[in-house]
């Protein structure tokens, strides 16, 4: 199996809770086991970093610091696409192809969370049953929670842990595609956008922002009666890409045809991934991109930390309802209200 069955014992809700098997564990011991490729230890490590409890986060950061020298050597590939485009089928087809080539593949699959209950189905291991049984693959579904960008807040840390465990290809499968669901591009080496055959009116529905982020566009489901439509769509997407400025001067985004269901075109997609990595590495763009991503990650953590500090401030909790009422009534501008709340965080506790 791609993950030890004992992982279920350490799964937890995103809001915190008991972390069986990791609570109180020595980060140094856990780090050594992860380096050795111990799957239950990797699963527990990811659960640890996903916990929101302060003591768990302290242990998680210690674990990450120890493992940092063992990271950074994997191919990081983000996959996104509208619901129904076949992301899970494509991910499984690509993952199975790669393990057949001798690679060790980690899949970090993000499931949408309910806006009402906060729950997620986390059914990616069921949808990728063949890959889940592959001994050279590791599949970890995580809830997106309230995080924008189609990824979970701790996906970056999870990616580092899988690299430290010896996985040389990390696939991040996002929730979907949209203007806010582009954060995955800030944590991977290559952003792959999956599209369905059709073109025409469907092309108008593809947002320019996410097309500009794509390093590779794959028209999936190019089989059977859909082959002509897939070829037409590929031509239209190529024309659209020519109107956009590439992210790198050393790589021009390509459009490939594939049928994940039949396993066709997968080798060509991987060849494009390798060509992209070779071109960017030779130019130094890959190192520069990862450095910029690390800086962006730092500022994301700063924003999240400020919000958490605000939520944890007792005086702010009392003030927020009054400020919200005044803003709603037009008696105060949102900017003034925000500054008053932020002042509480920076002022710190009184006395």
């Amino acid at each position: 199996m791609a993950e030890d069955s004992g992982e279920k014992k350490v799964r937890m809700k995103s809001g915190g809770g008991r972390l069986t098997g990791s609570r109180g564990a020595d980060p140094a011991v856990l780090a050594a086991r992860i380096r050795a490729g111990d799957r239950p230890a990797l699963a527990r490590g990811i659960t640890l970093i996903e916990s929101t409890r302060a003591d768990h986060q302290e242990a998680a950061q210690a674990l990450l610091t120890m493992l940092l020298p063992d990271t950074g050597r994997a191919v990081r590939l983000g996959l996104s696409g509208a619901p129904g485009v076949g992301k899970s089928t494509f991910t499984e087809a690509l993952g199975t192809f790669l393990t057949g080539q001798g690679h060790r593949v980690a899949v970090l699959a993000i499931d949408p969370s309910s806006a009402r209950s906060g729950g997620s189905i986390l059914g990616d291991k069921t949808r990728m049953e063949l890959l889940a049984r592959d001994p050279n693959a590791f599949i970890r579904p995580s809830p997106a929670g309230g995080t924008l960008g189609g990824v979970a807040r701790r996906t970056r840390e999870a990616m580092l842990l899988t690299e430290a465990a010896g996985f040389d290809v990390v696939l991040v499968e996002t929730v979907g595609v949209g203007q806010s669901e582009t954060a995955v591009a800030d944590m991977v080496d290559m952003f792959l956008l999956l599209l369905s055959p059709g073109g025409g009116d469907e092309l108008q529905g593809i947002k320019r922002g996410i097309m500009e982020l794509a390093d590779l566009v794959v028209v999936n489901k190019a089989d059977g009666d859909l082959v002509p439509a897939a070829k037409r769509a590929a031509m239209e997407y190529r024309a659209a890409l020519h109107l956009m400025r590439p992210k790198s001067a050393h790589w021009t985004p390509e459009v490939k045809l594939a049928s994940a269901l039949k396993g066709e075109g997968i080798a060509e997609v991987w060849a494009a991934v390798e060509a992209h990595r070779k071109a960017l590495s030779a130019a130094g763009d890959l190192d520069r991109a990862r450095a910029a991503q690390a800086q962006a990650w730092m500022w994301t953590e700063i924003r999240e930390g400020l919000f958490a500090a605000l939520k944890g401030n007792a005086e702010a909790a009392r003030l927020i309802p009054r400020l919200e009422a005044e803003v709603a009534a037009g008696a105060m501008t949102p900017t003034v209200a925000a500054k008053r709340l932020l002042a509480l965080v920076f002022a710190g506790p009184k006395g």
Side-chain angles (χ1 to χ4, degrees):
M1 295 295 290
E3 284 181 290
D4 187 88
S5 59
E7 181 199 354
K8 293 181 179 179
K9 298 179 181 178
V10 298
R11 295 289 289 154
M12 60 191 301
K13 295 180 179 179
S14 59
R18 189 175 180 192
L19 194 63
T20 306
S22 295
R23 184 180 182 181
D26 184 350
V29 173
L30 193 57
R33 292 179 60 190
I34 290 174
R35 287 192 198 97
D38 186 308
R39 292 177 182 276
L42 176 57
R44 284 194 287 273
I46 294 176
T47 299
L48 183 66
I49 64 174
E50 288 180 344
S51 172
T52 56
R53 278 181 39 171
D55 55 338
H56 290 168
Q57 273 302 301
E58 184 177 354
Q61 294 310 309
L63 174 65
L64 286 165
T65 300
M66 293 174 191
L67 292 176
L68 205 56
D70 304 293
T71 67
R73 290 181 285 274
V75 177
R76 302 170 179 174
L77 182 62
L79 298 99
S80 190
V85 77
K87 288 193 298 293
S88 294
T89 304
F90 182 86
T91 300
E92 181 173 51
L94 179 59
T96 302
F97 169 80
L98 291 174
T99 58
Q101 298 293 311
H103 292 282
R104 299 188 67 218
V105 180
V107 178
L108 303 177
I110 316 304
D111 273 16
S113 299
S114 167
R116 296 179 62 186
S117 66
S120 295
I121 297 176
L122 302 179
D124 291 275
K125 289 179 70 176
T126 301
R127 291 193 294 268
M128 293 182 268
E129 186 177 354
L130 181 62
L131 190 61
R133 294 198 301 265
D134 195 318
N136 289 314
F138 176 90
I139 301 175
R140 174 68 180 217
S142 296
T147 306
L148 292 177
V151 292
R153 182 184 176 189
R154 297 301 175 187
T155 299
R156 293 177 179 87
E157 287 96 328
M159 186 162 52
L160 295 179
L161 291 192
T162 59
E163 290 180 349
F167 292 92
D168 62 326
V169 180
V170 183
L171 306 178
V172 182
E173 182 197 321
T174 71
V175 167
V177 57
Q179 288 286 54
S180 67
E181 296 177 296
T182 56
V184 67
D186 285 331
M187 66 177 70
V188 296
D189 304 327
M190 188 176 196
F191 182 72
L192 190 157
L193 178 61
L194 281 175
L195 299 173
S196 296
D201 292 338
E202 289 187 11
L203 181 59
Q204 305 304 317
I206 301 298
K207 295 180 174 63
R208 180 183 177 90
I210 199 164
M211 284 288 287
E212 289 177 330
L213 290 172
D215 298 298
L216 181 64
V217 173
V218 177
V219 180
N220 193 26
K221 302 183 179 180
D223 51 54
D225 295 339
L226 289 176
V227 171
K231 290 181 177 179
R232 288 194 301 269
M235 290 178 60
E236 295 190 21
Y237 294 134
R238 288 189 185 101
L241 286 172
H242 280 307
L243 300 176
M244 301 177 189
R245 180 180 298 177
K247 292 191 296 181
S248 170
H250 305 282
W251 177 258
T252 301
E254 299 180 357
V255 179
K256 299 291 183 182
L257 293 174
S259 170
L261 190 62
K262 293 189 174 183
E264 297 173 352
I266 303 300
E268 289 76 11
V269 169
W270 180 245
V273 174
E274 291 185 309
H276 173 271
R277 184 175 180 83
K278 183 178 180 180
L280 266 61
S281 295
D285 282 6
L286 186 60
D287 290 337
R288 285 190 287 270
R290 287 193 173 186
Q293 288 171 358
Q295 291 176 332
W297 180 4
M298 180 190 76
W299 283 106
T300 297
E301 289 298 320
I302 290 173
R303 287 190 292 270
E304 295 284 351
L306 285 173
F307 188 67
L310 184 61
K311 289 177 64 177
N313 186 292
E315 188 174 348
R318 292 191 294 270
L319 185 60
I320 285 174
R322 181 162 62 86
L323 292 178
E324 286 181 331
E326 291 188 28
V327 168
M332 181 183 295
T333 68
T335 300
V336 170
K339 287 184 176 181
R340 287 193 60 181
L341 288 172
L342 288 173
L344 295 177
V345 176
F346 290 116
K350 293 182 178 181

